Amino acid sequence: MEMHIVSKRKDLTLDQALQAPDGLAVHGATMGLGRTHPTSALTSKTNAWKKLTSYLSKIHKVGTTVKVTDDISIDDLLGDVNRHEYYRYSGSLTTPLCSEAVVWTIFKESINVDLNLMKMFPNQTGYFNVYRPTQPRHTRTILTTAGSVRGRSGSVASTPRHLLWFLLLVRSIGVYFI
């Protein structure tokens, strides 16, 4: 399972952002299994996930909107994920219209989540195997903090770490799970 944190540029409307090649920023992280039965006091990270998953029962179909009234920290959801190790590339949204308007940042480390909490996503929403097939890389350059990956064009690049912190500070944030 993956978590996507979607941010829109503050200087653009949503319609404008969907037309700009850098109108949206998505931070993605895969989710791995942590403890299945926590026995010690809950950490703030576990509490953040419990707050977030408490809204799942209100999602009954694709397109359902749920107002999140709890304060949920993205830092607590990400936990101890190393924010200095990531891949970055220009791409598209994973849902229709699949607009080519996204600067993707994918963390190399997974978020460790309690198995019971992770099971709540498909069990409470009824969504199973919801994903977009892997897309061709074409001439996209994939940037990384630990070396570089060549696109078919042969270009090579590296990414300054300060850009990640700039993207983390963007205020218009939504959380989507696929």
Side-chain angles (χ1 to χ4, degrees):
M1 194 161 82
E2 291 180 14
M3 177 177 78
H4 293 166
I5 303 166
V6 182
S7 304
K8 177 188 70 67
R9 276 184 35 194
K10 292 187 335 181
D11 63 324
L12 300 176
T13 66
L14 180 56
D15 287 337
Q16 291 170 329
L18 291 171
Q19 300 302 313
D22 62 349
L24 301 171
V26 176
H27 289 84
T30 57
M31 298 170 72
L33 298 178
R35 301 177 293 170
T36 53
H37 299 288
T39 54
S40 59
L42 296 174
T43 65
S44 60
K45 290 175 268 186
T46 302
N47 285 333
W49 280 102
K50 286 187 179 238
K51 284 181 190 178
L52 183 64
T53 54
S54 71
Y55 292 91
L56 291 177
S57 62
K58 298 174 183 165
I59 301 171
H60 303 289
K61 61 180 180 173
V62 173
T64 300
T65 301
V66 176
K67 183 173 181 161
V68 177
T69 57
D70 289 302
D71 287 333
I72 301 174
S73 164
I74 291 173
D75 281 334
D76 289 343
L77 292 174
L78 289 173
D80 297 328
V81 169
N82 182 344
R83 289 149 177 98
H84 298 287
E85 298 291 330
Y86 53 88
Y87 301 99
R88 179 164 294 143
Y89 60 94
S90 294
S92 65
L93 290 171
T94 60
T95 56
L97 303 170
C98 300
S99 304
E100 291 277 340
V102 180
V103 176
W104 281 89
T105 301
I106 308 296
F107 296 112
K108 291 182 179 183
E109 289 183 7
S110 294
I111 301 170
N112 288 321
V113 179
D114 181 278
L115 174 62
N116 296 321
L117 291 175
M118 192 181 295
K119 285 181 179 179
M120 291 177 77
F121 288 90
N123 291 343
Q124 291 206 7
T125 64
Y127 299 138
F128 296 90
N129 298 320
V130 180
Y131 58 91
R132 179 179 178 196
T134 302
Q135 302 298 301
R137 186 168 39 157
H138 298 297
T139 59
R140 245 184 270 288
T141 298
I142 301 172
L143 309 170
T144 181
T145 52
S148 301
V149 178
R150 290 183 188 269
R152 287 195 190 145
S153 66
S155 60
V156 177
S158 61
T159 305
R161 290 183 179 170
H162 70 274
L163 287 178
L164 175 62
W165 294 112
F166 170 77
L167 290 172
L168 285 174
L169 294 174
V170 177
R171 295 187 131 227
S172 303
I173 295 176
V175 181
Y176 299 89
F177 294 89
I178 63 166

